[in-house]
Amino acid sequence: MKNFGYIKVASAIPSVKVGDVNYNLQQAEEMIAKAEGKGVEIIVFPELSLTGYTCQDLFRQQLLIDAAEQAVVHLLDFTRQLDIIAVVGLPVMAGNILLNCAAVIQQGRVLGLIPKTYLPNYSEFYEKRWFASSQDLNPTDVLFAGNTIRITSQPTIFRTSTGATFGIELCEDVWAPEPPSTRLALSGADIICNLSASDELIGKHSYLCSLLSQQSARTMSGYIYSSSGFGESTQDVVYGGNALVYENGKCIAESERFSFEPQLVITQIDCEKLRAERRNNTTFINAQRPLNAQLSISNYQMVRFIDCQAPLNSNLSTLNFILEREVNPTPFIPSSADMKASCEEIFNIQVAGLAKRLVHTNCKTVVVGISGGLDSTLALLVCVKTFDKLKYPRKGIVGVTMPGFGTTDRTYNNALSLMQHLGITIKEISIKDACIQHFKDIEHDINVHDVTYENGQARERTQILMDLSNKLNGMVIGTGDLSELALGWATYNGDHMSMYAVNVSIPKTLIKYLVHYVADNEVEEACRDVLVDIIDTPISPELIPADENGNIKQKTEDLVGPYILHDFFLYYVLRHGFRPEKIFMLARKAFAPGSEYEFDDATIEKWLRTFLRRFFNQQFKRSCLPDGPKVGSVSLSPRGDWRMPSDASSVLWLNSIEN
């Protein structure tokens, strides 16, 4: 079974006794064994974890330096039958200088020794008193723990047996203006490991998290940070024990600060997603140009690659992969603690886009078809907010309700009530007689409720809006959303077309939140009640007559599938370019039994197949979309984020589901 690009990592905060190398070794071995048992591939320990960071002038004692090396000898023996890669901190002699190093250990071998580059020399930290920088080092071979190891300032990247790559920096390195991790990432490292010993001060933790988040985001990398905790000397400072793991700027795992117990923080980093982000980011690609020029100067400047060992039991390497990370079933919904602020920002982007188009065209009249559904409601709310900000009278907004054969009392009354509460111009134009005449003209039986019957109504409504906008010297505002565009769930040259489409990059699942935001913050009580009822109304184009009780008979999600699933598929297809197998795996986790939104495997597979088939077949509709504002990281504009041939085949993607 594939691991889908995930690598399981751990940040360890062991119990430490300053100067007691045997005790520290024992703690490290226990945590390595525990992590190995949980399938961890890389475990990272704090800076100088085998000796303790706060040994101060004891680092000048040969006994301590030798004891640390001897501890590595024991670690080599301990790990001889283990696949896990352990990254531990210790002092290492290289000729006449002492280096603060990270040792990379696997299967009884020292794969590499990485020296620290930037040494603090202020306040309570005087590392330059004891250690030299990697910049002071001439490349040299050292006899260490029975191995001859090449130690150099040259950037070094390690490659795991599963194909993930990682590099190492130590503590202060990441605080530098140009951290080593930047070059490591540009040279191909998916993951950065940071062995640290950062003390706690008021406000420092927040700054640290911001720094790590930014570096992870800037380098589009996974970032494993392990910093000294309880047990280090508290002579002048205190160490809180920070184990943090970031993925492209997002914290995906963290320890409890100031814990008195050892901690092992385990999570999975998605290297496939990181690589996709880098491929799609031209800034990241362009940043490699100066590096490539440097690398051609001499071999000394080349990046070293060191391969880690293959698993001792290759049958277990990827056999029973289990995704242990949580998967958000609604990736388009802002996860910010301040949902109100996020919705306000999205709403304002829509408003700003429409405002510019109105000002540019000197247009003070807009025409919007109001159905009583979610999409047209959001479009109308955007128009109202835009007119208010431009100080245009709301009467310049012409809301047109166009009852047809499938219009129910609920949506009709909600459409009228909403327009009345918002104080816009209201027009009601029935499409029934026009459609009856049209069906006669084209010799279509009105009792046959097929695609001609449905699309004839949609195009009649669009014709009314377009012609009315010409008469009023106005502009038709589109109401269709991102989810409908992805599925092609729009009538070509019907609701598919407008003069400016304000919802074009907002998925269906997000629209509910935005309308809720307006209901809770922007309107009076009576209008709020109407908006809430619109939110609770089943999604429907209302092109088929209602049932015998006057209720909506044609429910979109019964026909095309649940939008919460389609939005999930859409996000991972467009945002990260994942294969269908991986999207299916993520969906199983997000919609597992007992979760808030529950779907079984057969249902997920059915609608994933539908999504891919429709996504490919309906591209021709997206190839000629009207303008509209980009709101999030996913857009289907043919002039922007998504440029796809209308005749592309879906066979490869559909076959991957079969396999």
Side-chain angles (χ1 to χ4, degrees), residues 332-621:
F332 284 108
I333 307 303
S335 57
S336 167
D338 191 352
M339 178 66 74
K340 177 182 175 182
S342 297
C343 289
E344 182 178 11
E345 184 176 31
I346 294 168
F347 198 57
N348 283 332
I349 292 172
Q350 291 179 278
V351 168
L354 178 58
K356 172 59 181 176
R357 180 55 53 91
L358 294 178
V359 170
H360 176 70
T361 57
N362 195 29
C363 178
K364 296 188 177 181
T365 302
V366 296
V367 179
V368 191
I370 307 300
S371 67
L374 271 175
D375 292 350
S376 64
T377 295
L378 179 60
L380 176 57
L381 294 172
V382 171
C383 289
V384 168
K385 183 75 170 180
T386 304
F387 270 57
D388 289 349
K389 293 195 74 170
L390 291 174
K391 297 182 171 55
Y392 292 174
R394 288 190 181 184
K395 288 299 181 180
I397 304 171
V398 181
V400 188
T401 180
M402 295 168 282
F405 304 119
T407 303
T408 61
D409 290 342
R410 181 178 185 180
T411 55
Y412 172 75
N413 291 329
N414 278 341
L416 290 177
S417 296
L418 180 63
M419 291 188 286
Q420 289 167 357
H421 285 302
L422 294 174
I424 69 169
T425 299
I426 302 173
K427 282 190 175 294
E428 180 177 336
I429 303 174
S430 173
I431 65 168
K432 293 181 181 178
D433 291 342
C435 286
I436 290 172
Q437 180 61 50
H438 179 57
F439 293 150
K440 287 180 180 178
D441 293 340
I442 64 172
E443 299 179 349
H444 179 75
D445 185 349
I446 196 172
N447 296 309
V448 177
H449 299 165
D450 58 4
V451 66
T452 304
Y453 178 85
E454 293 186 26
N455 286 350
Q457 297 174 69
R459 292 195 180 98
E460 178 60 29
R461 286 180 170 130
T462 300
Q463 175 181 249
I464 291 171
L465 295 175
M466 289 289 182
D467 292 346
L468 187 60
S469 72
N470 290 157
K471 180 180 178 181
L472 300 174
N473 194 28
M475 180 181 295
V476 176
I477 304 304
T479 62
D481 62 54
L482 181 67
S483 305
E484 293 176 342
L485 292 173
L487 294 165
W489 193 252
T491 299
Y492 192 82
N493 208 35
D495 52 312
H496 158 259
M497 192 50 59
S498 66
M499 296 169 183
Y500 195 75
V502 293
N503 295 340
V504 72
S505 67
I506 301 186
K508 191 77 75 175
T509 48
L510 180 55
I511 287 180
K512 285 189 176 183
Y513 282 84
L514 293 172
V515 175
H516 252 305
Y517 157 73
V518 176
D520 293 340
N521 299 282
E522 301 279 343
V523 296
E524 69 276 2
E525 182 75 19
C527 188
R528 180 185 184 279
D529 292 340
V530 177
L531 291 176
V532 169
D533 192 60
I534 290 173
I535 292 169
D536 293 337
T537 301
I539 300 169
S540 172
E542 293 193 313
L543 298 173
I544 300 296
D547 63 20
E548 61 274 10
N549 297 317
N551 296 319
I552 293 173
K553 183 178 180 181
Q554 184 186 28
K555 297 180 180 179
T556 298
E557 291 183 294
D558 290 344
L559 301 171
V560 76
Y563 275 116
I564 192 167
L565 278 179
H566 287 310
D567 284 357
F568 185 89
F569 303 150
L570 174 64
Y571 179 83
Y572 285 106
V573 167
L574 262 67
R575 185 70 179 83
H576 301 302
F578 285 167
R579 294 162 294 155
E581 302 102 311
K582 185 168 184 175
I583 296 173
F584 178 71
M585 181 271 298
L586 292 169
R588 292 183 70 196
K589 180 75 172 183
F591 303 104
S595 61
E596 183 178 0
Y597 309 99
E598 182 178 330
F599 295 99
D600 60 33
D601 289 359
T603 301
I604 294 171
E605 181 181 344
K606 171 187 174 181
W607 294 120
L608 177 57
R609 191 187 311 276
T610 297
F611 174 85
L612 291 170
R613 177 178 54 80
R614 292 192 64 95
F615 184 78
F616 275 81
N617 292 349
Q618 301 293 309
Q619 171 63 28
F620 72 97
K621 295 180 181 178

Side-chain angles (χ1 to χ4, degrees), residues 57-71:
D57 280 359
L58 293 178
F59 286 123
R60 292 178 171 177
Q61 297 291 307
Q62 190 65 44
L63 180 62
L64 184 67
I65 297 170
D66 291 345
E69 182 176 352
Q70 190 60 35

Side-chain angles (χ1 to χ4, degrees), residues 150-219:
R150 185 71 169 176
I151 187 166
T152 173
S153 60
Q154 184 178 351
T156 302
I157 294 176
F158 300 86
R159 185 187 292 111
T160 72
S161 59
T162 55
T165 54
F166 68 93
I168 296 168
E169 63 186 4
L170 287 89
C171 196
E172 188 78 7
D173 289 349
V174 74
W175 298 77
E178 189 176 349
S181 52
T182 299
R183 182 172 180 185
L184 288 166
L186 290 173
S187 299
D190 301 318
I191 297 169
I192 304 299
C193 305
N194 187 318
L195 293 74
S196 184
S198 185
D199 64 325
E200 298 292 342
L201 300 170
I202 295 174
K204 186 177 181 181
H205 180 74
S206 176
Y207 186 89
L208 171 68
C209 291
S210 175
L211 178 70
L212 298 181
S213 173
Q214 285 294 316
Q215 186 63 1
S216 171
R218 187 176 292 108
T219 57

Side-chain angles (χ1 to χ4, degrees), residues 121 207 218 224 228 249 270 285 313 329 381 505 518 562 613 622:
N121 200 42
Y207 186 89
R218 187 176 292 108
I224 311 168
S228 302
D270 190 346
I285 295 170
N313 187 345
L381 294 172
S505 67
V518 176
R613 177 178 54 80
R622 299 189 292 267

